[in-house]
Amino acid sequence: MTLRYVLDPPVDRRLADGVCDLWARVTNAGGAVGFVPPVTAEDVRPELTRHLAAMAEGRARLLAAYDEEDRVAGTAFLMPNTHRLMRHWVWLYTVMLSPDRQGRGEGRALMAAVEEAARGMDGVRGIRLTCRGGLGLEHFYGSCGYKEVGRVPDAIRVADDDLRDDITMWLRLS
C-alpha cells in the first residue's frame, strides 16, 4: 500500500481536521514537530491556522500524503525563501508521517516526494530544514541525502531539564 501525494491540495475542513489529528498523533507518539506531548488536535490547530494563512498568502505550499481511504497520513510544508539573495532554496517544515505507517519506507517516500515537489518550483536548487537533536532525526534525513550543515547546542527546550540541539540540514538539488 502506498501513499498518494498532492502538492497544494484544496484546503477544506476535512484537510484541516486531518492535519490537526495527524499532528497530535505524531506529537503524542514522540515526534518532534513543534510540540511536546500530550497534545490534542485543538492544541495544534492555532499553529495549523498560521500555516494555512501562509499558504493563502503564497508564502507556503503543502505536500499532503493521503492513505488508501483518502485520509491525511503525512505532510510537509515548503516555504519559499523571500530574501532576494536566497530565493533559490526553500525551507521545509512540519514533516510528519502517521505513526502507524512508520518503519515501512514511507518516510523516505515522503521525502522523495518533497524533493520532487521542490524540483518543480521555479529556480529552486536546495532544501533546508531544521530538526530536533536527541532523536536521531539527522540520521534519517541523512539517509535521504541531506547533509548536516549546522548545529546550535541546547537551542530547543522540550522541558526545564531537557535541552536539545537545533540541527540544520541541507539538500542540494542538482
Side-chain angles (χ1 to χ4, degrees), residues 5 7 20 32 55 58 62 64 71 74 85 95 101 114 121 130 173:
Y5 301 97
L7 182 62
C20 282
M55 288 170 55
L62 169 61
R71 294 176 303 209
L85 301 179
V95 176
R101 300 193 74 97
V114 165
M121 297 174 160
T130 62
L173 301 175

Side-chain angles (χ1 to χ4, degrees), residues 63 76 78 92 95 109-119 127 146:
L63 178 71
L78 296 104
L92 180 59
V95 176
L110 173 61
M111 295 305 294
V114 165
E115 183 176 342
E116 182 180 334
R119 286 181 188 281
I127 303 171
Y146 288 73

Side-chain angles (χ1 to χ4, degrees), residues 33-92:
V33 286
F35 294 90
V36 293
V39 297
T40 66
E42 292 313 305
D43 292 330
V44 301
R45 192 170 298 277
E47 188 62 29
L48 175 61
T49 299
R50 285 187 276 282
H51 280 50
L52 295 177
M55 288 170 55
E57 296 168 0
R59 296 181 294 109
R61 299 181 74 182
L62 169 61
L63 178 71
Y66 293 93
D67 68 12
E68 301 79 8
E69 296 174 18
D70 212 32
R71 294 176 303 209
V72 178
T75 64
F77 286 86
L78 296 104
M79 308 237 177
N81 199 319
T82 58
H83 191 283
R84 69 185 151 280
L85 301 179
M86 297 181 197
R87 291 187 185 132
H88 61 286
W89 58 269
V90 295
W91 281 103
L92 180 59

Side-chain angles (χ1 to χ4, degrees), residues 4-49:
R4 177 176 60 90
Y5 301 97
V6 178
L7 182 62
D8 304 320
V11 176
D12 57 17
R13 181 69 180 202
R14 186 166 189 256
L15 175 74
D17 289 348
V19 173
C20 282
D21 175 67
L22 174 67
W23 208 330
R25 287 187 297 114
V26 167
T27 299
N28 290 331
V33 286
F35 294 90
V36 293
V39 297
T40 66
E42 292 313 305
D43 292 330
V44 301
R45 192 170 298 277
E47 188 62 29
L48 175 61
T49 299

